[in-house]
Amino acid sequence: MQKIAFIGGGNMATALIAGLREQAQMHVVDLNTEALARLSAQYGVSTATAIDQQIAAYSVVVLAVKPQQMAEVAKQLAAFLQPNHLVLSIAAGIRVVDLCRWLGGHAAIVRCMPNTPALIGQGMTGMFAAEQVSQDQRVMAQSIMQAVGQTLWLAREELIDAVTALSGSGPAYVFYFMEAMQQAGQALGLSGEQALLLAQQTFVGATQLACNATEPLALLRERVTSKGGTTHAALSSMQQDQVGPAIITAVKAAAKRGQQMGEEFGAEHGGKTWQH
């Protein structure tokens, strides 16, 4: 049975704990005693409000704190890391070189970028392993993240910024589009509840269709678009308003912000104090 320690007990850590509850012994460190009590009662994990020597008993440490807290947390963790520890970071923007420095030179690090559908076991996680990560540790890291969805290994660390922009932030884009569809339905006379149901099920069905199809997305789109029909009118309006290019520009902006976060939080004193 795997032994995994989580530093931070927020939503993403909770999703991983829920997915791993049958296959791992887990320990959670967080300042929020109410969250710790809930996790202990629901999943049987051991808990603590501070990083201490208990960490030595766990082979994997998952850093699930906010990027601005990472420097301070990593420096606290460094005193208790063992040579065989595998460190997983799920914080956006924090680069391996900086995390390694904060951890006192510990280099067995895997960067992971999951997304919020992990909360229902439908997550997508991009992963990058530092050179010092062994094959067994890669397998271990992948098995942990696959507890909440699918995984994708990346050959270059800078591609994590693309993953962050596309799938990490992506659920918000989907919700934004759904909100607009709901508002359009209401403007056309439907109730808010009716418009929301139609938007939700359209996304569920279309997404499943795309996942099961072997054809390109463009072909699936064309099959729904009869020339001179209603879909054609809608897509022509979107093309005229440059909706597609606007989406591409937005995703690029998210990727750029991920790069900037790495530079900002990579400063020696970039982390905020993580203590009472």
Side-chain angles (χ1 to χ4, degrees):
M1 179 174 284
Q2 291 182 336
K3 301 186 74 174
I4 306 168
F6 289 84
I7 313 299
N11 287 337
M12 197 57 66
T14 299
L16 286 166
I17 290 165
L20 293 162
R21 62 186 180 275
E22 302 297 334
Q23 52 186 295
Q25 178 183 337
M26 292 175 283
H27 177 69
V28 184
V29 180
D30 198 289
L31 301 181
N32 188 330
T33 54
E34 291 183 5
L36 292 179
R38 184 185 69 252
L39 288 169
S40 178
Q42 193 165 359
Y43 302 111
V45 300
S46 62
T47 64
T49 56
I51 300 170
D52 57 25
Q53 64 274 10
Q54 294 182 76
I55 294 295
Y58 296 84
S59 55
V60 181
V61 180
V62 179
L63 294 174
V65 299
K66 295 178 181 179
Q68 58 266 36
Q69 299 170 325
M70 188 63 80
E72 183 65 27
V73 168
K75 290 171 185 176
Q76 291 180 25
L77 176 62
F80 303 103
L81 276 179
Q82 304 299 308
N84 65 323
H85 268 136
L86 171 64
V87 176
L88 269 59
S89 168
I90 61 175
I94 302 300
R95 297 171 297 194
V96 166
V97 63
D98 296 312
L99 188 53
C100 177
R101 175 163 49 87
W102 296 331
L103 291 173
H106 189 89
I109 298 169
V110 175
R111 282 187 65 183
C112 306
M113 180 43 59
N115 60 9
T116 55
L119 297 171
I120 58 168
Q122 294 294 321
M124 183 69 233
T125 302
M127 305 178 68
F128 171 78
E131 291 183 9
Q132 292 81 356
V133 176
S134 70
Q135 182 59 36
D136 286 346
Q137 288 175 323
R138 285 174 65 101
V139 171
M140 190 182 305
Q142 181 167 322
S143 70
I144 290 171
M145 300 313 299
Q146 283 182 339
V148 293
Q150 297 188 50
T151 58
L152 174 69
W153 282 105
L154 304 168
R156 305 196 315 274
E157 183 177 9
E158 59 265 29
L159 292 175
I160 283 283
D161 293 323
V163 170
T164 302
L166 190 61
S167 62
S169 299
Y173 315 153
V174 174
F175 302 147
Y176 186 79
F177 200 101
M178 290 176 70
E179 284 181 282
M181 289 179 67
Q182 182 185 20
Q183 291 165 6
Q186 289 178 270
L188 292 169
L190 295 168
S191 70
E193 292 76 12
Q194 289 173 326
L196 177 59
L197 176 60
L198 290 166
Q200 288 172 329
Q201 191 55 40
T202 297
F203 264 86
V204 169
T207 300
Q208 197 60 54
L209 190 61
C211 289
N212 293 339
T214 56
E215 301 95 337
L217 292 175
L219 181 56
L220 296 180
R221 171 177 52 78
E222 290 168 4
R223 286 178 179 169
V224 190
T225 311
S226 301
K227 190 170 183 179
T230 58
T231 309
H232 184 266
L235 291 177
S236 295
S237 176
M238 289 185 191
Q239 289 169 353
Q240 184 175 346
D241 290 336
Q242 297 288 299
V243 172
I247 292 172
I248 294 171
T249 298
V251 175
K252 287 181 177 178
K256 183 177 180 180
R257 180 56 188 149
Q259 295 168 353
Q260 291 171 341
M261 288 171 66
E263 295 168 3
E264 292 171 8
F265 298 133
E268 180 66 35
H269 302 292
K272 294 184 179 179
T273 301
W274 196 68
Q275 54 184 271
H276 292 290

